[in-house]
């Protein structure tokens, strides 16, 4: 009974909305009847199935590698900067504006430069992914660290805890829920920017494939790799949700 | 023996002094309550004892040794339980000991012993969110005991609880103290609570605090709530309330 109620309140609404939107899309596509520029969901599914081998075995691994490496690098850089800023007021003052400036640069516009510097390499694509994701991680982690309960910090001090102990045992766990927020925010960005970077400079990958299909005027095949990217992003989110519940389920008690 | 001598203290950046030329002597082994309105300097008194603040003038000593040279002499129990939600009950209680890098097994043994003492044996693997407010305060008390100080500083530990839980925890704390060889310094703004719990009651006087008035509570070591109805106790309560009122309007 409770499972049915949970289904009704949690899963049914998005499924209904999604179903309706897909239906409208399909009907519109059928009415226009120009599959090469406006394919319907059914055509896209069909084309994805036809292209499954090339997409999943040939193009997905390289994209997945860009997403994961870029994102992990971003997590390392992002949390690293947050910790430095948390420990030193001077570093915080120094970095604060510089970091904001990095966020005013449209990654898509300067990615071609990375390609000019580094060629059609993974490195060029990683820079794009890191540039678009690290800031959200830095900002959220830094906030989480700074917002640690002062009373708990003082309690630790009365126990004789040193700065490092306070950081490891109190501040880091206090910031963990915020870090998870940032991780969940940035995983879709990493997916999108990995694809954009491939659009601009790659010889394989889902983004590259999608771009090539545009020149062939094969609308359904433009969408097919994007469908796979969406599934990857959703899978990533699901894994993170699960990890968050296991590791940082205390968000509401902080 | 705890000794404040000619202590003056002002919070950095503030104009108003909290203590001016303040002196206090407290014997070992007693249960002493400090009462006063909020803003009367009670919490600052604890912060000075904890080493969280340093007096600008005067000295605070324990058995003749200045506080900065003493280690682990005082254990502080805050108003809110401040349990860490990501740690189990047992890990929370072990915290003060693990910070001092004592061997894990020893910490665990001591924590279990303390949890048994506060009536929470069997709860060690649970998490704070699974406990009621009263139980959380008892865990917090067990953690305070594990901090190992001779002097327990309890800062309005029951003020956030409902009145029934509060009364039972007062009786429980009194009973605990009867079996512990510790000095308790207890902050409260509740006259009845102070009278029921303590041997001696201190009222901080003046703003800034320059002195204090002491009251002995004429109740035996083993006490019951009914004793609070005795005429001499009722009179003591009246005296305390009158003094607090005059302090508040000054």
């Amino acid at each position: 009974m409770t499972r049915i109620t949970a289904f009704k309140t949690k899963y049914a609404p998005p499924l209904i909305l999604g179903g309706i939107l897909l239906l409208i899309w399909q009907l519109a596509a059928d009415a226009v009847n120009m599959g090469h520029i406006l394919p319907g969901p059914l055509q896209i599914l069909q084309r994805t199935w036809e292209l499954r081998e090339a997409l999943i075995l040939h193009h997905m691994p390289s994209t997945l590698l860009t997403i994961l490496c870029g994102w992990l690098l971003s997590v390392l850089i992002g949390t690293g900067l947050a910790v430095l800023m948390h420990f030193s007021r001077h570093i915080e003052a120094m970095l604060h504006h510089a970091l904001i400036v990095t966020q005013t640069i449209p990654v898509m516009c300067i990615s071609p430069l990375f390609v000019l510097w580094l060629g059609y390499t993974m490195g060029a694509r990683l820079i794009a992914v890191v540039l678009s994701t690290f800031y959200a991680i830095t900002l959220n982690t830094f906030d989480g660290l700074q917002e640690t309960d002062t009373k708990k910090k003082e309690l630790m001090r009365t126990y004789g805890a040193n700065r490092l102990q306070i950081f490891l045992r109190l501040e880091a766990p206090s910031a963990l829920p915020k870090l998870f927020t940032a991780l969940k925010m940035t995983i879709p960005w990493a997916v999108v920017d990995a694809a954009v970077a491939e659009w601009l400079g790659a010889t394989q990958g889902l983004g590259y494939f999608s771009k090539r299909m545009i020149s062939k005027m094969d609308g359904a095949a433009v969408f097919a790799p994007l469908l796979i990217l969406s599934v990857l992003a959703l899978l990533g989110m699901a894994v993170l949700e699960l990890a968050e519940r296991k590791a940082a389920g205390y968000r509401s008690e902080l | 023996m705890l000794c404040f001598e000619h202590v003056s203290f002002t919070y950095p950046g503030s104009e108003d002094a909290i203590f001016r030329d303040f002196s206090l002597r407290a014997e070992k082994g007693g249960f002493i309550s400090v009462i006063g309105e909020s803003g009367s300097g009670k919490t600052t008194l604890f912060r000075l004892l904890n080493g969280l603040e340093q007096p600008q003038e005067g000295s605070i000593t324990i058995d003749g040794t200045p506080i900065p040279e003493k280690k682990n002499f005082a254990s502080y129990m805050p108003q809110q339980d401040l349990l860490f939600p990501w740690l189990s009950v047992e890990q929370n209680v072990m915290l003060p000991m693990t910070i001092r890098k004592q061997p894990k097994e020893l910490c665990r043994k001591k924590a279990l012993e303390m949890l048994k003492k506060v009536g929470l044996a069997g709860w060690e693997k649970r998490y704070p969110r699974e406990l009621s407010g009263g139980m959380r305060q008892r865990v917090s008390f067990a953690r305070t005991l594990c901090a190992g100080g001779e002097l327990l500083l309890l800062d309005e530990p029951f003020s956030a609880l409902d009145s029934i839980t509060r009364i039972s925890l007062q009786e429980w704390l009194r009973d605990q103290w009867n079996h512990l060889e510790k000095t308790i310094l207890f902050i409260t703004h509740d006259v009845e609570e102070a009278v029921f719990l303590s041997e001696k009651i201190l009222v901080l006087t003046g703003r800034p605090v320059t002195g204090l008035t002491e009251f002995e509570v004429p109740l035996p070591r083993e006490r019951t709530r009914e004793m609070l109805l005795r005429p001499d106790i009722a009179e003591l309560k009246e005296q305390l309330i009158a003094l607090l009122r005059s302090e508040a309007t000054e």
Side-chain angles (χ1 to χ4, degrees):
Chain A
M1 189 62 208
T2 49
R3 206 174 267 183
I4 295 172
T5 329
F7 179 80
K8 270 188 190 162
T9 54
K10 208 174 159 193
Y11 301 110
L15 284 176
I16 291 171
L17 179 69
I20 291 174
L21 291 175
L22 286 174
L23 188 68
I24 293 174
W25 182 2
Q26 185 65 54
L27 289 176
D30 287 346
V32 174
N33 198 18
M34 296 197 332
H36 61 292
I37 55 170
L38 181 60
L42 288 176
Q43 286 97 300
I44 294 170
L45 273 181
Q46 195 192 350
R47 199 82 181 93
T48 310
W49 180 252
E50 286 163 12
L51 294 166
R52 64 188 182 276
E53 252 191 61
L55 286 174
I56 292 175
L57 295 180
H58 187 63
H59 293 288
M60 194 178 80
S62 124
T63 309
L64 200 58
L65 198 67
T66 308
I67 296 170
L68 285 180
C69 289
W71 185 67
L72 287 176
L73 200 61
S74 200
V75 172
L76 276 180
I77 296 173
T79 50
L81 285 174
V83 170
L84 280 178
M85 283 161 65
H86 175 64
F87 271 90
S88 160
R89 210 176 275 267
H90 296 300
I91 293 183
E92 196 225 323
M94 207 156 37
L95 287 181
H96 186 79
H97 292 100
L99 291 182
I100 292 176
V101 170
T102 66
Q103 295 311 296
T104 60
I105 303 167
V107 173
M108 220 178 139
C109 300
I110 57 161
S111 281
L113 276 181
F114 305 150
V115 177
L116 288 180
W117 300 340
L118 300 171
Y120 278 29
T121 59
M122 171 93 129
R125 298 192 287 275
L126 288 185
I127 298 179
V129 173
V130 169
L131 206 54
S132 65
T133 52
F134 85 96
Y135 183 66
I137 297 174
T138 302
L139 204 63
N140 272 287
T141 311
F142 178 68
D143 270 357
L145 290 170
Q146 293 278 304
E147 282 167 13
T148 305
D149 189 350
T150 318
K151 289 189 183 125
K152 286 190 179 129
K153 269 198 260 189
E154 288 188 344
L155 186 68
M156 294 280 283
R157 277 173 60 198
T158 71
Y159 297 149
N162 59 35
R163 188 73 193 82
L164 186 65
Q165 284 175 319
I166 290 178
F167 174 72
L168 291 175
R169 282 152 169 262
L170 175 61
E171 290 171 331
S174 295
L176 196 59
K178 282 241 163 152
L179 172 62
F180 266 105
T181 303
L183 296 183
K184 287 195 290 186
M185 275 166 75
T186 52
I187 205 94
W189 300 353
V191 171
V192 168
D193 282 280
V196 168
E198 285 174 351
W199 238 80
L200 298 166
T203 50
Q204 62 172 358
L206 294 169
Y208 162 77
F209 185 87
S210 179
K211 181 191 175 191
R212 219 180 57 192
M213 290 303 122
I214 286 201
S215 54
K216 294 194 172 173
M217 292 290 268
D218 185 349
V222 172
F223 272 106
L226 304 187
L227 180 65
I228 294 183
L229 285 172
S230 291
V231 171
L232 287 180
L234 289 175
L235 277 177
M237 290 288 264
V239 170
L240 280 174
E241 292 266 0
L242 206 69
E244 182 184 24
R245 231 172 297 158
K246 282 246 177 256
Y250 47 79
R251 181 189 289 265
S252 61
E253 296 169 74
L254 284 175
Chain B
M1 171 130 84
L2 166 67
C3 227
F4 276 62
E5 274 179 278
H6 308 292
V7 167
S8 294
F9 176 76
T10 310
Y11 279 105
S14 162
E15 301 264 296
D16 305 313
I18 307 287
F19 289 97
R20 186 170 296 150
D21 197 22
F22 170 79
S23 297
L24 158 77
R25 278 164 182 277
E27 295 298 329
K28 241 184 191 157
F31 195 130
I32 304 162
S33 285
V34 181
I35 64 178
E37 296 288 304
S38 40
S40 63
K42 296 173 300 195
T43 298
T44 310
L45 186 76
F46 272 23
R47 294 180 69 83
L48 288 166
L49 278 167
N50 270 333
L52 290 175
E53 308 290 349
Q54 266 78 45
Q56 279 96 13
E57 281 168 48
S59 67
I60 307 170
T61 55
I62 303 267
D63 298 329
T65 318
I67 277 188
E69 293 165 34
K70 279 276 208 188
K71 272 204 166 161
N72 303 338
F73 71 94
S75 310
Y76 170 63
M77 175 173 174
Q79 197 165 353
Q80 290 117 346
D81 56 68
L82 301 186
L83 298 178
F84 293 6
W86 53 87
L87 297 181
S88 68
V89 164
E90 178 185 61
Q91 290 167 324
N92 264 294
V93 174
M94 284 159 63
L95 185 69
M97 292 184 289
T98 50
I99 284 174
R100 285 177 203 137
K101 302 206 170 78
Q102 292 175 0
K104 260 260 154 66
E105 271 320 299
L106 185 82
C107 297
R108 180 158 293 134
K109 217 176 122 206
K110 184 99 186 277
L112 289 181
E113 189 187 311
M114 291 305 164
L115 281 170
K116 210 166 163 189
K117 219 172 233 181
V118 302
L120 286 172
W123 289 83
E124 56 273 5
K125 300 288 177 218
R126 304 295 193 93
Y127 281 80
R129 63 175 167 277
E130 302 174 81
L131 272 55
S132 70
M135 289 161 94
R136 293 172 67 116
Q137 282 299 350
R138 271 155 42 201
V139 175
S140 171
F141 188 70
R143 181 180 57 186
T144 311
L145 291 176
C146 275
E150 290 288 299
L151 174 65
L152 303 185
L153 303 171
L154 312 186
D155 187 358
E156 302 200 42
F158 307 143
S159 63
L161 300 173
D162 64 87
S163 59
I164 299 294
T165 312
R166 186 169 178 176
I167 286 172
S168 63
L169 278 187
Q170 285 166 0
E171 285 166 358
W172 171 84
L173 177 63
R174 181 67 209 181
D175 188 54
Q176 291 282 315
W177 178 76
N178 283 342
H179 302 104
L180 288 169
E181 282 169 13
K182 305 265 187 190
T183 311
I184 291 185
L185 214 52
F186 189 95
I187 284 184
T188 177
H189 55 256
D190 182 337
V191 170
E192 181 132 334
E193 180 169 77
V195 172
F196 176 69
L197 285 172
S198 20
E199 326 287 351
K200 199 195 269 184
I201 296 173
L202 307 179
V203 181
L204 301 177
T205 51
R207 275 182 203 199
V209 179
T210 47
L212 50 83
T213 315
E214 272 188 48
F215 297 85
E216 296 283 338
V217 179
L219 286 175
R221 199 175 171 90
E222 303 286 342
R223 42 182 88 165
T224 60
R225 213 148 259 288
E226 288 72 48
M227 293 176 185
L228 291 175
L229 301 171
R230 283 177 13 190
D232 57 335
I233 299 299
E235 195 192 332
L236 172 64
K237 282 198 282 189
E238 282 312 310
Q239 276 179 14
L240 282 164
I241 290 167
L243 178 61
L244 287 171
R245 262 203 194 135
S246 68
E247 279 299 312
T249 49
E250 246 172 36

